[in-house]
Amino acid sequence: MSITILDFVGNTGRINNTKFISYLNGISKEKFIASMTHPVLVSRKLYEGQLQKVGDSKNTMVFSVKEIRESLRKQEEQQSPEETFHGLNDDENFNQSIYALRKNRDATSSPNVFTIGRVIPNDLIIPDFTISKKHAAIRLENNKYHITDLGSTNGTLVAGKLLTTNQSQVLSDCEFITIGRLGFVFMHQARIYDLLRR
């Protein structure tokens, strides 16, 4: 039985870093790209700010980023995607999480839509109270990936720009995305292979 990338992906969409890097070191770039049919989200930052509880504990907490939005934009302009991978082998560091764009077995959305939220049945489940239950979606259309904010409490930023509800934006390789208080890099398969094989 052959090993595929899905063997390293947990039910939240998070990839086991240690097994993933070992897999990369034993496979050619062409085979890796064929086995990993979609890009990934690589976590890069947990932003600090003020959390405010709204309602009971099951609700999304409001995260105030008003004072730090400009600094986020500047940080993203100054940091290269390669710097995201500093210390990737440390599985306990949130900044090193890699999430595969793949369908969750309980997913109800279309095959080319990957939903992001705090709870099942999203495809990528990120258990942070600044992320809404249904926060955002990444859709593959005409060989391009589009991200859409689904009316989240804390918003979705692409390259420092806040998306309005249901606004869609095409994602480029190594695009910086902020979801709630969490920062990610959208990365194509060839790029992540090259970075992690070094």
Side-chain angles (χ1 to χ4, degrees):
M1 183 169 80
S2 65
I3 296 173
T4 70
I5 191 63
L6 294 178
D7 294 317
F8 313 129
V9 180
N11 60 3
T12 64
R14 184 175 174 180
I15 294 173
N16 179 303
N17 293 348
T18 305
K19 291 179 181 178
F20 183 55
I21 292 170
S22 177
Y23 173 68
L24 280 174
N25 287 320
I27 192 170
S28 72
K29 188 173 186 176
E30 294 74 24
K31 286 184 178 179
F32 172 73
I33 291 170
S35 73
M36 189 156 185
T37 55
H38 298 288
V40 296
L41 291 180
V42 179
S43 62
R44 62 179 290 271
K45 187 78 175 171
L46 177 63
Y47 295 114
E48 294 180 8
Q50 183 177 2
L51 290 173
Q52 181 181 0
K53 188 175 177 180
V54 177
D56 63 40
S57 63
K58 294 180 183 176
N59 291 331
T60 305
M61 293 182 79
V62 175
F63 178 63
S64 176
V65 294
K66 184 169 87 173
E67 296 174 4
I68 63 169
R69 264 209 187 119
E70 183 61 23
S71 68
L72 295 182
R73 187 185 62 73
K74 288 179 181 175
Q75 286 175 18
E76 290 174 353
E77 287 174 355
Q78 293 171 358
Q79 186 179 30
S80 70
E82 288 82 357
E83 291 174 300
T84 298
F85 289 97
H86 177 68
L88 186 62
N89 291 314
D90 180 5
D91 231 2
E92 294 180 11
N93 186 340
F94 173 83
N95 291 342
Q96 311 314 315
S97 299
I98 303 172
Y99 290 87
L101 292 185
R102 63 90 182 100
K103 297 302 295 178
N104 187 305
R105 62 186 170 99
D106 299 318
T108 56
S109 59
S110 89
N112 289 336
V113 176
F114 306 92
T115 58
I116 302 167
R118 195 174 70 235
V119 296
I120 295 171
N122 289 290
D123 300 307
L124 276 69
I125 301 166
I126 304 171
D128 185 279
F129 275 97
T130 65
I131 294 180
S132 296
K133 291 177 183 176
K134 294 181 181 178
H135 196 105
I138 296 176
R139 181 181 81 257
L140 175 61
E141 185 177 302
N142 299 324
N143 293 320
K144 292 183 179 177
Y145 290 86
H146 306 253
I147 189 165
T148 305
D149 183 83
L150 301 177
S152 65
T153 299
N154 290 303
T156 303
L157 286 81
V158 178
K161 179 185 171 192
L162 183 66
L163 300 180
T164 58
T165 299
N166 296 321
Q167 177 186 359
S168 181
Q169 176 151 344
V170 174
L171 291 171
S172 302
D173 187 30
C174 295
E175 192 91 75
F176 290 122
I177 302 168
T178 305
I179 300 172
R181 64 177 175 166
L182 310 177
F184 296 91
V185 180
F186 174 80
M187 199 166 286
H188 285 288
Q189 303 93 310
R191 177 66 65 106
I192 197 165
Y193 182 90
D194 290 342
L195 289 171
L196 292 183
R197 284 275 299 209
R198 288 183 185 176

